[in-house]
Amino acid sequence: MRVSAPCSARRKCVIAVDIHSHLSLLLRTMIICVCRRLNEDAVREAVRAGAGCGEAVQAHFGCQFNCGKCKSAMEDVVECEKHQLTQGAVLVAAE
């Protein structure tokens, strides 16, 4: 079973309920910033630590954008993770 949550017009964030899904593993480990060697897991980690935008993600790791080609993908991941965190907070509060 999979639940899709739209995070932007350009991309949908897929929350895999099945932990054995190979597709989920591949999506989570996608390289976002080649210049700074940041993958999707690293971006999500920075958001959970308080980063709210791409620049804050870069600052979390002590760097800044180099070529900038990753900005839109990074912003998508940031928005998706913020959405997931918000949904998780709502679910916990309702219990």
Side-chain angles (χ1 to χ4, degrees):
M1 178 179 175
R2 292 179 187 267
V3 179
S4 294
C7 295
S8 73
R10 291 172 290 187
R11 178 178 168 183
K12 285 188 176 180
C13 175
V14 178
I15 305 167
V17 176
D18 177 15
I19 61 172
H20 300 291
S21 170
H22 295 290
L23 180 59
S24 173
L25 180 62
L26 289 173
L27 289 174
R28 287 185 295 126
T29 58
M30 182 175 75
I31 299 294
I32 301 296
C33 179
V34 175
C35 299
R36 303 299 184 210
R37 298 181 182 147
L38 298 176
N39 64 17
E40 190 167 346
D41 285 341
V43 174
R44 291 181 186 280
E45 172 191 319
V47 173
R48 289 190 296 270
C53 64
E55 288 82 7
V57 170
Q58 294 280 0
H60 176 79
F61 293 104
C63 56
Q64 57 189 10
F65 286 109
N66 187 32
C67 73
K69 290 181 181 178
C70 64
K71 267 188 175 181
S72 64
M74 189 175 295
E75 292 293 340
D76 287 348
V77 174
V78 168
E79 290 304 314
C80 186
E81 185 65 14
K82 286 172 30 179
H83 176 74
Q84 288 180 11
L85 291 172
T86 302
Q87 293 296 3
V90 170
L91 292 176
V92 170
E95 291 179 352

